[in-house]
Amino acid sequence: MSATNMDLLRFATAGSVDDGKSTLIGRLLLDSKSIFEDQLEAVEATSEAKGYDYTDLALLTDGLRSEREQGITIDVAYRYFATPNRKFIIADTPGHVQYTRNMVTGASTADLGLVLVDARQGLTEQSRRHAVILSLLRVPHLVLAVNKMDLVDFDQQVYENIYREFTQFATKLNVPDLEVIPISALQGDNVVTRSENMPWYSGPTLMHHLEHVHVASDRDLIDARFPVQYVIRPKSDEFHDYRGYAGQVAGGVLKPGDEVVVLPSGMTSKIARIDLFDKEITEAFPPMSVTVHLEDDVDVSRGDMIARVKNAPAPSQDIDAMICWMTTTPLQPRQKLAIKHTTRTGRALVKDIQYRLDVNTLHRDQATNELGVNEIGRVTLRTTVPLLCDPYSKNRTTGSFILIDEATGVTVGAGMING
C-alpha cells in the first residue's frame, strides 16, 4: 500500500483537568521540532510574564483565549505534526463531562486514543469514562500515559499500582491493544527521549510507540464498500461519454475487473477502471478518494453503494444503535429527525430507548425514557430509506450515522450501529 496513506496516524487525547494534556502535546511538538523558534520564544516570554519558573508548553496548544485564561481545553482542536517516520493528526479533546460530545467527535476517526492520568491522583472517574468512550467508539489502540511522574519522585510502585488497576478495568472493555507509559510531559521524560530517572521501565517511549504502532490492519480490507458521493458527467467534447462515480472507499479493496453490485437497486456490473485525480490506478482501498467507472450503463446516483456481489450489506430500515446525544433538548420516543449515513440521507423515527449507559460504571439504566445532552444510550430507529449499513464493530464508516434536527439543520446525535 502506498506510503501516503499508511504513514498517517490520527490520535485523540483525553484527560481530566490539569492532567497535563496540553503540556504533553506542546512537548511532542517541541521535541519533534514541529514548532518554530519564534513560537517558542513567544511562549517563553508569556510564561515569564505570568511569573512561572518554567516554560508553559500548554500555551502552544490551548488556542482559544478563554481556555488560555482558565487553563483548560474546551473545543476539539486539531494539531498536525510530523517526524521522519510518520505524519500525525492530534484531536485534542476536552476532559469535562459536559464536553462528552466533543470527545466523541474527536475520537470517532482516531486510530489511537491517548488517555492521561496524573500519577498523584491515579485513575479518576474521568479517566475511566474516557477509556469507556474510546472503547465504545472502537478506537483500536489505547495508550495510558501516567503523567507527572516527576512529582512522585519517579516511584515505580505508583506506576505499578495504576498499571494494575487500569489493566483490570480494561478487561471489561473492548480494548484490543493497550500500552501504559510513565512520563513527565513538563520535563520530557519518556515522551520523545528515554528517561534516565526511570531505569526500571523497559517499554517504549510515547513517541516511539506512536511512530511504530501498526494501524494498516485496523481497517476492513475484506468487505468492499464504496458509497457514491457524486456522479461525474462533464458533458464536454473532450469527455463526451465520461461517466464516473466519485467517493471515498469505506472498506475492502476495489480493482478493475471486479464484479460489483449497485445498492439498493441490485444491478450488477464490473469495474472498468479506477481514477485517482488524473491517473488510472490498479487498486483502491480505505481511505482513498477515487472515481470508479463501470462497464455497463447502470443507474447510479448519490447515496447508492457499490459493493461485491457475494458480499454486500443488507439494506435495513430498522436500526439498533448506540447514540451519543449532543443537544440540550432531550431525545425521546416518537421523535422525528433527519439521518445521514455515509452519503445517504433520509428521515428517522425514534421507536424506543432501550437503556441509558452510565459511562462511569457501565451500568445500564433501563427505566429511562429519554437521553439528555452528552448521554449515551441504546436506541431503536425506523428510517424512511433503507440504510446500507454494517455493524460499527466491523466498519466504523458504514456502521455510523449522524442525526440532524430538521428545523435548525444542527447535528444533534452521533450513532454507532449494533450487529
Side-chain angles (χ1 to χ4, degrees):
M1 292 197 178
S2 75
T4 50
N5 277 295
M6 299 326 295
D7 60 5
L8 173 70
L9 178 81
R10 289 173 170 270
F11 68 96
T13 59
S16 308
V17 184
D18 300 334
D19 277 345
K21 184 159 55 76
S22 297
T23 309
L24 173 63
I25 295 171
R27 170 64 66 189
L28 283 171
L29 296 175
L30 179 66
D31 287 8
S32 63
K33 307 197 171 27
S34 300
I35 56 166
F36 299 114
E37 273 183 27
D38 58 343
Q39 281 176 290
L40 182 60
E41 280 165 15
V43 166
E44 282 172 346
T46 312
S47 302
E48 207 171 305
K50 287 187 166 189
Y52 298 158
D53 55 359
Y54 60 90
T55 301
D56 185 5
L57 295 173
L59 295 172
L60 287 168
T61 55
D62 282 343
L64 295 177
R65 190 146 184 200
S66 59
E67 295 177 10
R68 292 175 87 153
E69 284 166 4
Q70 293 176 52
I72 59 166
T73 307
I74 300 171
D75 203 4
V76 180
Y78 292 93
R79 311 275 165 216
Y80 305 86
F81 75 100
T83 67
N85 298 331
R86 200 173 234 173
K87 289 190 292 223
F88 298 94
I89 300 177
I90 313 173
D92 183 12
T93 66
H96 296 243
V97 71
Q98 71 264 37
Y99 302 121
T100 298
R101 55 188 180 175
N102 305 57
M103 185 175 168
V104 167
T105 308
S108 60
T109 54
D111 304 305
L112 178 143
L114 175 63
V115 177
L116 254 84
V117 295
D118 185 329
R120 299 166 302 172
Q121 315 276 330
L123 275 192
T124 59
E125 197 175 88
Q126 288 235 52
S127 32
R128 284 195 180 85
R129 181 166 49 82
H130 296 149
V132 169
I133 291 169
L134 290 166
S135 81
L136 264 180
L137 289 164
R138 300 281 171 159
V139 177
H141 306 275
L142 186 60
V143 174
L144 182 74
V146 183
N147 193 19
K148 307 199 178 181
M149 286 299 291
D150 51 316
L151 299 180
V152 293
D153 300 328
F154 303 102
D155 185 350
Q156 181 176 2
Q157 201 50 54
V158 172
Y159 166 77
E160 295 288 352
N161 293 346
I162 294 173
Y163 178 88
R164 202 166 34 248
E165 194 184 345
F166 191 77
T167 44
Q168 217 169 342
F169 176 69
T171 54
K172 297 186 209 165
L173 309 175
N174 189 342
V175 182
D177 171 41
L178 172 65
E179 191 77 49
V180 185
I181 305 175
I183 64 166
S184 164
L186 196 64
Q187 300 185 7
D189 293 80
N190 281 345
V191 179
V192 176
T193 47
R194 284 205 76 79
S195 168
E196 291 173 10
N197 296 309
M198 292 180 271
W200 44 263
Y201 172 73
S202 57
T205 64
L206 178 61
M207 182 61 97
H208 184 275
H209 184 65
L210 294 176
E211 282 186 330
H212 294 92
V213 66
H214 185 64
V215 292
S217 54
D218 295 335
R219 298 185 187 276
D220 179 1
L221 297 174
I222 297 161
D223 310 295
R225 302 285 185 265
F226 184 72
V228 176
Q229 197 163 358
Y230 189 67
V231 180
I232 298 177
R233 300 241 11 227
K235 294 184 180 167
S236 64
D237 291 343
E238 195 185 345
F239 299 104
H240 193 71
D241 295 320
Y242 189 99
R243 187 186 179 92
Y245 309 109
Q248 186 175 38
V249 184
V253 181
L254 299 172
K255 293 179 181 164
D258 283 355
E259 271 198 52
V260 291
V261 59
V262 178
L263 298 169
S265 67
M267 304 288 279
T268 56
S269 183
K270 278 188 175 174
I271 295 179
R273 71 174 206 267
I274 302 170
D275 293 343
L276 178 70
F277 302 119
D278 53 355
K279 64 175 192 283
E280 267 190 62
I281 54 173
T282 54
E283 61 174 22
F285 47 82
M288 291 168 73
S289 293
V290 296
T291 305
V292 172
H293 300 260
L294 301 180
E295 286 181 4
D296 308 282
D297 266 346
V298 291
D299 183 22
V300 183
S301 53
R302 176 181 165 84
D304 290 358
M305 186 177 286
I306 295 172
R308 289 265 163 71
V309 176
K310 295 200 168 102
N311 176 2
S316 172
Q317 285 179 268
D318 290 296
I319 307 296
D320 171 13
M322 296 300 290
I323 287 178
C324 172
W325 192 244
M326 300 181 168
T327 188
T328 45
T329 315
L331 174 72
Q332 293 171 327
R334 314 301 304 161
Q335 205 165 327
K336 290 188 178 80
L337 298 152
I339 187 167
K340 186 173 187 302
H341 169 262
T342 63
T343 54
R344 238 175 140 64
T345 46
R347 298 179 75 203
L349 172 74
V350 180
K351 283 174 70 179
D352 180 35
I353 297 174
Q354 297 175 41
Y355 59 80
R356 181 178 63 222
L357 184 72
D358 183 326
V359 283
N360 298 317
T361 61
L362 297 180
H363 170 70
R364 297 174 177 187
D365 174 13
Q366 294 177 338
T368 189
N369 58 358
E370 63 176 37
L371 283 185
V373 65
N374 289 312
E375 290 184 338
I376 294 173
R378 189 165 180 173
V379 178
T380 336
L381 304 169
R382 172 83 183 170
T383 60
T384 53
V385 293
L387 300 189
L388 310 161
C389 53
D390 295 290
Y392 186 79
S393 54
K394 195 172 168 186
N395 188 316
R396 288 166 77 192
T397 306
T398 56
S400 61
F401 59 85
I402 57 169
L403 295 170
I404 299 159
D405 182 329
E406 290 183 291
T408 60
V410 171
T411 301
V412 290
M416 296 153 278
I417 298 165
N418 293 314

